[in-house]
PDB file of all heavy atoms in Angstrom:
ATOM      1  N   LYS A 438      90.795  23.488 165.611  1.00 91.00           N
ATOM      2  CA  LYS A 438      90.962  22.894 164.292  1.00 91.00           C
ATOM      3  C   LYS A 438      92.111  21.885 164.308  1.00 91.00           C
ATOM      4  O   LYS A 438      93.106  22.063 165.022  1.00 91.00           O
ATOM      5  CB  LYS A 438      91.229  23.975 163.251  1.00 91.00           C
ATOM      6  CG  LYS A 438      90.039  24.898 162.993  1.00 91.00           C
ATOM      7  CD  LYS A 438      88.903  24.153 162.313  1.00 91.00           C
ATOM      8  CE  LYS A 438      87.743  25.069 162.002  1.00 91.00           C
ATOM      9  NZ  LYS A 438      86.626  24.376 161.327  1.00 91.00           N
ATOM     10  N   LYS A 439      91.983  20.855 163.496  1.00 90.00           N
ATOM     11  CA  LYS A 439      92.992  19.798 163.459  1.00 90.00           C
ATOM     12  C   LYS A 439      94.320  20.325 162.960  1.00 90.00           C
ATOM     13  O   LYS A 439      95.384  19.880 163.409  1.00 90.00           O
ATOM     14  CB  LYS A 439      92.492  18.653 162.569  1.00 90.00           C
ATOM     15  CG  LYS A 439      93.411  17.432 162.567  1.00 90.00           C
ATOM     16  CD  LYS A 439      92.816  16.314 161.739  1.00 90.00           C
ATOM     17  CE  LYS A 439      93.713  15.079 161.758  1.00 90.00           C
ATOM     18  NZ  LYS A 439      93.152  13.980 160.947  1.00 90.00           N
ATOM     19  N   ASP A 440      94.290  21.262 162.023  1.00 91.00           N
ATOM     20  CA  ASP A 440      95.514  21.835 161.453  1.00 91.00           C
ATOM     21  C   ASP A 440      95.541  23.322 161.788  1.00 91.00           C
ATOM     22  O   ASP A 440      95.068  24.151 161.022  1.00 91.00           O
ATOM     23  CB  ASP A 440      95.543  21.622 159.940  1.00 91.00           C
ATOM     24  CG  ASP A 440      96.879  21.990 159.316  1.00 91.00           C
ATOM     25  OD1 ASP A 440      97.625  22.782 159.928  1.00 91.00           O
ATOM     26  OD2 ASP A 440      97.179  21.500 158.214  1.00 91.00           O
ATOM     27  N   PRO A 441      96.071  23.705 162.965  1.00 91.00           N
ATOM     28  CA  PRO A 441      96.035  25.116 163.372  1.00 91.00           C
ATOM     29  C   PRO A 441      96.788  26.043 162.426  1.00 91.00           C
ATOM     30  O   PRO A 441      96.382  27.192 162.232  1.00 91.00           O
ATOM     31  CB  PRO A 441      96.671  25.095 164.767  1.00 91.00           C
ATOM     32  CG  PRO A 441      97.427  23.812 164.841  1.00 91.00           C
ATOM     33  CD  PRO A 441      96.690  22.847 163.975  1.00 91.00           C
ATOM     34  N   ALA A 442      97.887  25.559 161.829  1.00 91.00           N
ATOM     35  CA  ALA A 442      98.646  26.409 160.906  1.00 91.00           C
ATOM     36  C   ALA A 442      97.795  26.783 159.701  1.00 91.00           C
ATOM     37  O   ALA A 442      97.815  27.926 159.238  1.00 91.00           O
ATOM     38  CB  ALA A 442      99.922  25.700 160.464  1.00 91.00           C
ATOM     39  N   LYS A 443      97.021  25.827 159.203  1.00 91.00           N
ATOM     40  CA  LYS A 443      96.157  26.076 158.055  1.00 91.00           C
ATOM     41  C   LYS A 443      94.944  26.910 158.451  1.00 91.00           C
ATOM     42  O   LYS A 443      94.471  27.756 157.684  1.00 91.00           O
ATOM     43  CB  LYS A 443      95.709  24.738 157.450  1.00 91.00           C
ATOM     44  CG  LYS A 443      94.926  24.861 156.152  1.00 91.00           C
ATOM     45  CD  LYS A 443      94.611  23.487 155.595  1.00 91.00           C
ATOM     46  CE  LYS A 443      93.800  23.583 154.309  1.00 91.00           C
ATOM     47  NZ  LYS A 443      93.482  22.234 153.765  1.00 91.00           N
ATOM     48  N   ALA A 444      94.437  26.701 159.666  1.00 92.00           N
ATOM     49  CA  ALA A 444      93.261  27.435 160.135  1.00 92.00           C
ATOM     50  C   ALA A 444      93.586  28.892 160.454  1.00 92.00           C
ATOM     51  O   ALA A 444      92.710  29.744 160.410  1.00 92.00           O
ATOM     52  CB  ALA A 444      92.672  26.742 161.362  1.00 92.00           C
ATOM     53  N   GLY A 445      94.839  29.160 160.785  1.00 94.00           N
ATOM     54  CA  GLY A 445      95.240  30.527 161.067  1.00 94.00           C
ATOM     55  C   GLY A 445      95.884  30.677 162.435  1.00 94.00           C
ATOM     56  O   GLY A 445      95.308  30.286 163.451  1.00 94.00           O
ATOM     57  N   VAL A 446      97.089  31.215 162.452  1.00 94.00           N
ATOM     58  CA  VAL A 446      97.817  31.411 163.692  1.00 94.00           C
ATOM     59  C   VAL A 446      98.501  32.786 163.645  1.00 94.00           C
ATOM     60  O   VAL A 446      99.025  33.186 162.597  1.00 94.00           O
ATOM     61  CB  VAL A 446      98.912  30.323 163.876  1.00 94.00           C
ATOM     62  CG1 VAL A 446      99.825  30.652 165.040  1.00 94.00           C
ATOM     63  CG2 VAL A 446      98.266  28.963 164.097  1.00 94.00           C
ATOM     64  N   MET A 447      98.463  33.481 164.757  1.00 95.00           N
ATOM     65  CA  MET A 447      99.227  34.718 164.888  1.00 95.00           C
ATOM     66  C   MET A 447     100.236  34.540 166.012  1.00 95.00           C
ATOM     67  O   MET A 447      99.875  34.192 167.137  1.00 95.00           O
ATOM     68  CB  MET A 447      98.310  35.908 165.189  1.00 95.00           C
ATOM     69  CG  MET A 447      99.093  37.219 165.411  1.00 95.00           C
ATOM     70  SD  MET A 447      98.040  38.652 165.673  1.00 95.00           S
ATOM     71  CE  MET A 447      97.368  38.863 164.023  1.00 95.00           C
ATOM     72  N   ALA A 448     101.503  34.759 165.688  1.00 94.00           N
ATOM     73  CA  ALA A 448     102.570  34.639 166.688  1.00 94.00           C
ATOM     74  C   ALA A 448     103.212  36.000 166.910  1.00 94.00           C
ATOM     75  O   ALA A 448     103.544  36.698 165.954  1.00 94.00           O
ATOM     76  CB  ALA A 448     103.625  33.636 166.221  1.00 94.00           C
ATOM     77  N   THR A 449     103.353  36.366 168.171  1.00 94.00           N
ATOM     78  CA  THR A 449     103.967  37.639 168.547  1.00 94.00           C
ATOM     79  C   THR A 449     105.297  37.351 169.251  1.00 94.00           C
ATOM     80  O   THR A 449     105.351  36.565 170.191  1.00 94.00           O
ATOM     81  CB  THR A 449     103.047  38.435 169.493  1.00 94.00           C
ATOM     82  OG1 THR A 449     101.781  38.616 168.868  1.00 94.00           O
ATOM     83  CG2 THR A 449     103.660  39.790 169.806  1.00 94.00           C
ATOM     84  N   TYR A 450     106.362  38.000 168.775  1.00 93.00           N
ATOM     85  CA  TYR A 450     107.704  37.809 169.319  1.00 93.00           C
ATOM     86  C   TYR A 450     108.124  39.090 170.033  1.00 93.00           C
ATOM     87  O   TYR A 450     108.144  40.162 169.430  1.00 93.00           O
ATOM     88  CB  TYR A 450     108.698  37.483 168.209  1.00 93.00           C
ATOM     89  CG  TYR A 450     108.332  36.257 167.396  1.00 93.00           C
ATOM     90  CD1 TYR A 450     107.371  36.315 166.399  1.00 93.00           C
ATOM     91  CD2 TYR A 450     108.956  35.036 167.628  1.00 93.00           C
ATOM     92  CE1 TYR A 450     107.025  35.200 165.662  1.00 93.00           C
ATOM     93  CE2 TYR A 450     108.622  33.907 166.893  1.00 93.00           C
ATOM     94  CZ  TYR A 450     107.649  34.000 165.910  1.00 93.00           C
ATOM     95  OH  TYR A 450     107.309  32.894 165.185  1.00 93.00           O
ATOM     96  N   THR A 451     108.455  38.982 171.300  1.00 91.00           N
ATOM     97  CA  THR A 451     108.839  40.142 172.099  1.00 91.00           C
ATOM     98  C   THR A 451     110.267  39.964 172.598  1.00 91.00           C
ATOM     99  O   THR A 451     110.581  38.981 173.267  1.00 91.00           O
ATOM    100  CB  THR A 451     107.901  40.314 173.310  1.00 91.00           C
ATOM    101  OG1 THR A 451     106.547  40.366 172.839  1.00 91.00           O
ATOM    102  CG2 THR A 451     108.224  41.582 174.060  1.00 91.00           C
ATOM    103  N   ARG A 452     111.137  40.919 172.251  1.00 83.00           N
ATOM    104  CA  ARG A 452     112.507  40.860 172.712  1.00 83.00           C
ATOM    105  C   ARG A 452     112.583  41.137 174.193  1.00 83.00           C
ATOM    106  O   ARG A 452     111.893  42.011 174.706  1.00 83.00           O
ATOM    107  CB  ARG A 452     113.365  41.901 171.969  1.00 83.00           C
ATOM    108  CG  ARG A 452     113.756  41.487 170.558  1.00 83.00           C
ATOM    109  CD  ARG A 452     114.637  42.534 169.957  1.00 83.00           C
ATOM    110  NE  ARG A 452     115.100  42.117 168.628  1.00 83.00           N
ATOM    111  CZ  ARG A 452     115.336  42.966 167.641  1.00 83.00           C
ATOM    112  NH1 ARG A 452     115.149  44.261 167.818  1.00 83.00           N
ATOM    113  NH2 ARG A 452     115.780  42.534 166.483  1.00 83.00           N
TER     114      ARG A 452
END
Side-chain angles (χ1 to χ4, degrees):
K438 292 292 182 179
K439 186 177 181 180
D440 189 338
K443 186 176 179 180
V446 170
M447 177 177 289
T449 304
Y450 303 79
T451 306
R452 282 183 176 148

